[in-house]
């Protein structure tokens, strides 16, 4: 049987551990099985734009990738071949041309490393153009229902926890309320985990719209006990209950832009209600950059090897995942069907409440 020749790409926002997946795929598929692995740059765009941006991957050009953040293949969240910018302000379907380019390159199929959006594109390529695809899930938000964990999440939580530890000491020195805004537009996993790990007093997540009065009550309660500082973790998608303004937006060109982030909104609502000195830190992309923690390096390596095993077994159309402590796989179709947010009755919410963390509702 001729050795396999496959493409590999990374799509959507980056996450620590992407390079570790690439390295694992290349070390196994090229180094051990003697396949050809072709890296496609900037998601599907590397084969959509002329000249094509692709490269032969070998174990030697993957040296040092295990601990390196970002993705050496580049990525974009503006590369949907089914809705590609036409250069005139509109969009066009370029998927046919992409499928042709994949075939011309002699690629038997693709390993697609990305979040739900990228996996959905892969699935559509398979359904409409017969391009075989194997998926590897990625998101620091940990919001894919098909896998118990995605690599990058633990690294992001580590960064956010470290930030909380640092804010804790300065908050205490100055008797301030410190608000830390972390990523999580629709899912509050990073805020919840970091909040518990960093000993936050309050956590605001998108899944639990908050009543600012409950946070002010918590701050006052702490003061009564002689604790004159408070640590609050706010997910970027957290919002107050109805009736409160959020977010402040202004018209900008064809769209609207947010002028006040989730943490600043809450800081404003607190200062409107009580005499309090607040400081806000927005952690932003610091959570996505830098080296993956050990756990994410291991998970990414397991995911990369399992992706190759799926191809070996002819199990195209599946996405690797973690179930409990075991690496497994599920049909991509099932994986993209459901999104995993924090259920208000999740056991970690109950744990957090048990140790006195206030969620604002
Ligand atoms: O989905 C991952 C994520 O990090 C979200 O938590 C965040 O809202 C978004 O990406 C930020 O994306 P960008 O890099 O486009 O600013």
């Amino acid at each position: 049987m001729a050795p396999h020749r496959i493409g590999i790409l990374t799509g959507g926002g980056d996450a620590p551990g992407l390079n570790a997946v690439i390295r694992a795929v290349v070390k196994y598929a090229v180094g051990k099985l003697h396949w050809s692995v072709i890296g496609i740059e900037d998601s599907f765009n590397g084969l959509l734009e002329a000249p094509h941006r692709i490269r032969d991957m070998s174990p030697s050009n993957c040296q040092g990738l295990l601990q390196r953040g970002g993705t050496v293949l580049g990525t974009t969240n503006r590369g949907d071949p089914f809705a590609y910018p036409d250069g005139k302000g509109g969009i066009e379907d370029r998927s046919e041309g992409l499928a042709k380019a994949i075939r011309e390159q002699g690629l038997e199929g693709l390993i697609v490393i990305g979040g739900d959006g990228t996996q959905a594109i892969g699935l559509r390529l398979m359904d409409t153009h017969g391009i075989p695809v194997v998926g590897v899930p990625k998101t620091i938000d940990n919001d894919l229902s098909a896998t118990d964990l995605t690599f990058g999440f633990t690294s992001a939580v580590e960064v956010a926890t470290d930030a909380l530890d640092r804010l804790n000491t300065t908050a205490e020195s100055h008797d301030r309320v410190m608000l830390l805004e972390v990523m999580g537009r629709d899912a509050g996993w990073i805020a919840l985990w970091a909040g518990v790990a960093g000993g936050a007093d309050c956590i605001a997540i998108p899944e639990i719209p908050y009543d600012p009065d409950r946070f002010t009550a918590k701050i006052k309660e702490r003061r009564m006990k002689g604790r004159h500082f408070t640590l609050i973790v706010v997910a970027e998608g957290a919002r107050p209950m109805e009736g409160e303004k959020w977010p402040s937006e202004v018209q900008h060109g064809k769209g609207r832009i947010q002028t006040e982030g989730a943490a600043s909104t809450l800081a404003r609502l607190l200062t409107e209600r009580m005499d309090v000195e607040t400081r806000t830190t927005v952690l932003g992309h610091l959570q996505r950059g830098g080296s993956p923690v050990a756990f994410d390096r291991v998970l990414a390596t397991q995911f990369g090897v399992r992706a190759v095993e799926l191809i070996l077994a002819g199990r195209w159309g599946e996405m690797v995942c973690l179930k409990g402590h075991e690496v497994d796989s599920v049909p991509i179709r099932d994986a993209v069907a459901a999104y995993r947010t924090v259920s208000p009755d999740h056991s970690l919410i109950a744990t957090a409440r048990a140790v006195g963390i206030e969620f604002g509702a």
Side-chain angles (χ1 to χ4, degrees):
M1 197 175 90
H4 294 271
R5 180 176 163 85
I6 55 166
I8 185 168
L9 61 85
T10 51
D14 66 354
L18 283 171
N19 281 327
V21 178
I22 296 168
R23 168 185 176 271
V25 166
V26 173
K27 273 179 104 70
Y28 186 25
V30 181
K32 284 236 181 260
L33 303 172
H34 310 294
W35 300 1
S36 294
V37 174
I38 306 300
I40 304 166
E41 295 180 13
D42 297 337
S43 191
F44 299 95
N45 291 7
L47 277 178
L48 274 170
E49 292 158 1
H52 288 165
R53 285 173 286 115
I54 56 175
R55 60 176 107 135
D56 248 311
M57 305 297 288
S58 68
S60 63
N61 63 26
C62 286
Q63 274 165 18
L65 285 197
L66 184 59
Q67 53 274 69
R68 189 156 146 198
T71 160
V72 284
L73 292 176
T75 187
T76 175
N77 37 27
R78 290 187 306 276
D80 182 352
F82 293 91
Y84 202 74
D86 63 4
K88 295 176 236 152
I91 51 165
E92 60 184 351
D93 185 350
R94 297 270 301 277
S95 60
E96 181 90 51
L98 174 63
K100 189 163 167 264
I102 290 168
R103 291 200 180 95
E104 279 170 4
Q105 290 298 332
L107 300 177
E108 187 185 334
L110 303 179
I111 293 182
V112 170
I113 313 169
D116 54 349
T118 311
Q119 299 303 335
I121 295 171
L123 182 65
R124 210 167 154 196
L125 266 180
M126 198 159 99
D127 285 348
T128 54
H129 299 291
I131 301 294
V133 163
V134 154
V136 176
K138 166 260 25 161
T139 156
I140 64 160
D141 296 339
N142 203 31
D143 54 6
L144 290 177
S145 63
T147 182
D148 287 350
L149 272 176
T150 48
F151 60 86
F153 171 70
T154 308
S155 302
V157 168
E158 202 63 47
V159 172
T161 304
D162 178 59
L164 277 173
D165 289 348
R166 288 167 191 277
L167 290 173
N168 200 335
T169 56
T170 173
E172 187 166 15
S173 309
H174 288 268
D175 292 346
R176 281 173 173 157
V177 170
M178 290 292 192
L179 298 103
L180 176 70
E181 184 176 309
V182 298
M183 280 186 168
R185 230 174 355 208
D186 306 300
W189 293 110
I190 296 176
L192 177 59
W193 274 69
V196 172
D201 307 295
C202 306
I203 301 176
I205 58 173
E207 296 88 342
I208 306 180
Y210 63 82
D211 174 355
D213 290 338
R214 290 191 56 143
F215 290 136
T216 46
K218 178 75 183 179
I219 297 167
K220 285 178 186 162
E221 177 201 310
R222 283 178 56 75
R223 283 183 182 172
M224 300 279 289
K225 291 180 185 157
R227 308 292 278 162
H228 293 279
F229 71 99
T230 296
L231 275 185
I232 306 183
V233 184
V234 186
E236 64 177 315
R239 61 194 185 284
M241 287 170 167
E242 255 177 276
E244 297 291 350
K245 278 186 277 156
W246 182 91
S248 300
E249 289 181 328
V250 290
Q251 196 66 35
H252 181 79
K254 287 184 189 159
R256 296 175 74 77
I257 55 167
Q258 192 177 322
T259 56
E260 190 181 56
S264 320
T265 300
L266 178 52
R268 174 173 56 76
L269 294 171
L270 294 177
T271 41
E272 280 169 10
R273 284 166 170 75
M274 65 187 293
D275 181 17
V276 67
E277 191 177 14
T278 64
R279 290 290 185 273
T280 297
T281 303
V282 179
L283 210 45
H285 292 77
L286 288 174
Q287 293 156 98
R288 291 227 312 247
S291 290
V293 295
F295 179 86
D296 283 336
R297 297 181 198 189
V298 174
L299 186 61
T301 303
Q302 288 178 297
F303 277 7
V305 167
R306 178 53 66 96
V308 175
E309 285 171 352
L310 287 176
I311 297 173
L312 261 179
R315 288 166 63 176
W316 296 103
E318 296 194 18
M319 185 188 86
V320 304
C321 65
L322 187 75
K323 286 283 168 222
H325 295 290
E326 296 300 323
V327 175
D328 202 342
S329 61
V330 284
I332 300 177
R333 201 172 306 286
D334 298 348
V336 298
Y339 188 67
R340 189 163 61 105
T341 52
V342 181
S343 159
D345 14 272
H346 189 274
S347 62
L348 189 52
I349 298 268
T351 301
R353 289 193 194 276
V355 295
I357 298 176
E358 173 61 57
F359 285 87

